[in-house]
Amino acid sequence: MRRAARARDKPRASACKCNTIRLTSPRHEFRWPQTPCPPSRNVSLDGIRGIAIGLVIISHACSGIGANSAVGQVLGPLAQSGWVGVDLFFVLSGYLITGILLRSRATSPVTYFRTFYMRRFFRIFPLYYSFLAAYAIVLAVYSKPLGSLWLQWNLPYLSNVFLARNGWGYGALSHLWSLSVEEQFYLVWPAILFCLPVQRTFACLTAMFCGFLAIRQLCVLGGASPVAVYATLHLDGLFLGAALAAIGPLRDVRRAARLSWSFLLLSSAVLLSESFRTGGLRPGEWHGGYYFMYALIAAWGTSLICVSLYSGNRSWINRAFSCEPLVQLGKYSYALYLFHVPIGVAVRRLRPSPENVVGILVYTVLLVLVCFGCAVTSWKLLEERCILLKDRLFSYPGGETGRP
C-alpha cells in the first residue's frame, strides 16, 4: 500500500527531458532542452525581428533626411544607421538556425541534412522566386528591359557578389544581397556543424570567429574595397548568433542578464556616439580598424537577444518585445524585407523633399502600411501554406518544427 501511494504521489516524467533552473523570483524560470523536443515559439524574438525590419525600412525611407531642423539633426544619423537591422537579422538567423541544427545533430546524417534543407526550401524559395517573377512581369508591362545581370546574379543567390564587383546601387533589387549571404550560410553551415566535436562546439565557433576577423583584416590590408567587405565579409552576426546557440544552459542566469544589460547599454552608447559624430554609421567610409565596428554591431545585436533570453518571460523588456505591433512586424518580416525597396522605388515620386521632416515621417508610415498589406497577402496566399506543408512533410524527430 505504501509503495503504491509513493508511486501515485510521484510526479510523472515528461517525455521531453529538460533541465529546469529555478531562481528565487518567478520572473527567472528557464527550461533548457537537453534532448530534441518541440520548442514553443518565442514571441519575444519575433518582437526583436520586428525591430530589425523596422530599422531597415526607416533607413531606406528616411535616407537623406535634412538636418536643418533639430528633429532632422536627430533623425538623420539614426536613419543613416538603420542598416544595423540587417546585422540583427544575421544574429537571429545564426542563433535560430544553429539551435535547430544542434538539436537535430543526434539524428542520422540523412535525416539531419534532408530535413534541414527541405524545410529551408519550403520557407525561403517559394516567396523569393515568386517575388522575382512578379518583378519581371512588372518590368515587362512597363516595357523595361530585363537585363541578363538580373538572371545571372539574383536567381542563384549571388547578388552580394554582384554588389562586391560593381559597387553600390542595383536599383529595386539592391537589398537582396543580405538574402544571398544568408542562403550561402545555410548552404555550408549544416556540414560545418555536423563535423564539429559535440563537447567543443562553442570553443570551435569562437576560434572560427576570431579567425574570420583576422582574415577580413588581411583582406582590408590587401586592398579590399568597403563595398566588397560589406557584401561578402559581413558575417559577424551569423558567427556570434551561432556561438550564442552553442553556449548551452547557464547556472547563474541573473548574472548573465546583468552582463547582457551592461554590454547592451555600453555598445549602444558607443554606436550612438559614433553615429552622431559622423552623421550616421557609414560603412562605405570605414578603413583600417573601423571594420571592427561590424563585430561591435553584431555584439550589440547578440546582447539584445541575450537580454531577452535571460531576463525571464515576465520581465518588462520581454513584455515590450512581445507587444503586438512588433510581433506582427516580425511575423511578416521576410515579405516586408522583400517588398519594401521595390515599393519604395515605385512611389519615390511621392516622397517629400528631405527638408520636410514631417512629410518624410508620414511617407514612412504610409510605406510601412502598404508593405504590411502586401506582406499579409503573401502570407495568406503562399507563405502560410508552404510552412504548413514543410511541417507536415519534413518534421524533425519527435514532432519538432524547428521554430523556437
Side-chain angles (χ1 to χ4, degrees):
M1 293 293 292
R2 291 180 181 177
R3 184 178 302 177
R6 286 197 300 267
R8 187 170 56 252
D9 295 337
K10 185 177 180 181
R12 295 182 180 180
S14 172
C16 171
K17 297 180 180 179
C18 295
N19 179 25
T20 302
I21 301 175
R22 295 185 182 272
L23 301 179
T24 56
S25 170
R27 295 168 54 194
H28 295 85
E29 182 175 326
F30 297 84
R31 295 179 64 82
W32 295 91
Q34 293 178 327
T35 59
C37 58
S40 59
R41 189 175 185 89
N42 191 328
V43 179
S44 299
L45 295 187
D46 274 339
I48 295 176
R49 192 179 287 109
I51 293 174
I53 189 60
L55 288 173
V56 173
I57 294 178
I58 290 173
S59 174
H60 289 147
C62 299
S63 61
I65 192 170
N68 293 339
S69 64
V71 177
Q73 291 176 359
V74 174
L75 293 182
L78 294 178
Q80 186 69 32
S81 305
W83 62 268
V84 301
V86 173
D87 289 63
L88 188 52
F89 273 125
F90 284 170
V91 177
L92 282 166
S93 293
Y95 171 70
L96 295 174
I97 293 302
T98 302
I100 291 170
L101 291 170
L102 291 179
R103 288 192 297 273
S104 62
R105 194 161 54 171
T107 62
S108 68
V110 174
T111 302
Y112 172 83
F113 287 103
R114 180 189 61 192
T115 305
F116 176 79
Y117 285 125
M118 292 307 299
R119 290 180 65 84
R120 288 295 91 196
F121 173 88
F122 279 101
R123 181 65 187 97
I124 296 173
F125 285 6
L127 181 59
Y128 180 80
Y129 287 110
S130 298
F131 165 76
L132 292 181
Y135 184 78
I137 292 172
V138 170
L139 291 183
V141 169
Y142 285 92
S143 301
K144 293 185 177 181
L146 183 64
S148 60
L149 288 177
W150 181 86
L151 295 174
Q152 183 179 353
W153 299 103
N154 285 288
L155 291 181
Y157 280 95
L158 292 174
S159 55
N160 63 324
V161 180
F162 177 89
L163 188 64
R165 292 182 56 181
N166 297 278
W168 305 104
Y170 200 14
L173 301 179
S174 59
H175 60 306
L176 298 185
W177 73 270
S178 62
L179 299 181
S180 297
V181 170
E182 289 198 352
E183 193 61 30
Q184 293 157 16
F185 170 74
Y186 296 152
L187 184 63
V188 301
W189 196 242
I192 293 175
L193 278 182
F194 192 79
C195 295
L196 294 181
V198 175
Q199 300 299 327
R200 297 183 179 179
T201 300
F202 176 75
C204 291
L205 293 179
T206 303
M208 290 169 61
F209 177 60
C210 294
F212 163 75
L213 294 180
I215 291 172
R216 183 171 63 197
Q217 287 305 112
L218 290 175
C219 292
V220 169
L221 295 175
S225 66
V227 64
V229 174
Y230 182 82
T232 59
L233 296 175
H234 190 169
L235 308 176
D236 308 65
L238 293 168
F239 275 114
L240 289 184
L244 176 61
I247 288 178
L250 301 177
R251 290 295 175 185
D252 196 344
V253 181
R254 284 192 292 185
R255 182 183 180 189
R258 289 195 299 268
L259 291 175
S260 301
W261 269 112
S262 299
F263 190 84
L264 176 63
L265 296 175
L266 177 62
S267 59
S268 298
V270 172
L271 293 175
L272 284 174
S273 62
E274 180 64 20
S275 178
F276 286 114
R277 186 182 71 84
T278 60
L281 301 174
R282 303 174 183 269
E285 301 174 2
W286 289 350
H287 55 83
Y290 262 91
Y291 285 102
F292 285 105
M293 289 291 290
Y294 285 125
L296 178 61
I297 293 168
W300 166 81
T302 306
S303 64
L304 184 64
I305 296 174
C306 287
V307 163
S308 174
L309 294 177
Y310 300 141
S311 293
N313 294 333
R314 303 179 191 176
S315 62
W316 70 266
I317 187 66
N318 276 324
R319 290 200 301 270
F321 288 152
S322 302
C323 70
E324 194 62 22
L326 283 180
V327 172
Q328 290 300 310
L329 284 176
K331 177 180 178 180
Y332 304 115
S333 59
Y334 180 35
L336 283 169
Y337 188 81
L338 278 174
F339 297 154
H340 82 280
V341 173
I343 294 176
V345 170
V347 299
R348 195 69 174 180
R349 67 184 65 181
L350 302 177
R351 186 178 185 267
S353 66
E355 305 305 326
N356 187 350
V357 176
V358 176
I360 292 292
L361 295 178
V362 173
Y363 165 81
T364 303
V365 172
L366 292 177
L367 179 62
V368 170
L369 293 177
V370 172
C371 294
F372 189 81
C374 295
V376 172
T377 302
S378 73
W379 176 271
K380 296 296 184 182
L381 296 179
L382 182 63
E383 288 182 87
E384 189 175 35
R385 300 172 188 270
C386 292
I387 290 174
L388 292 175
L389 187 62
K390 76 181 176 68
D391 287 344
R392 185 168 69 245
L393 297 179
F394 299 100
S395 293
Y396 284 102
E400 181 179 5
T401 64
R403 297 200 305 274

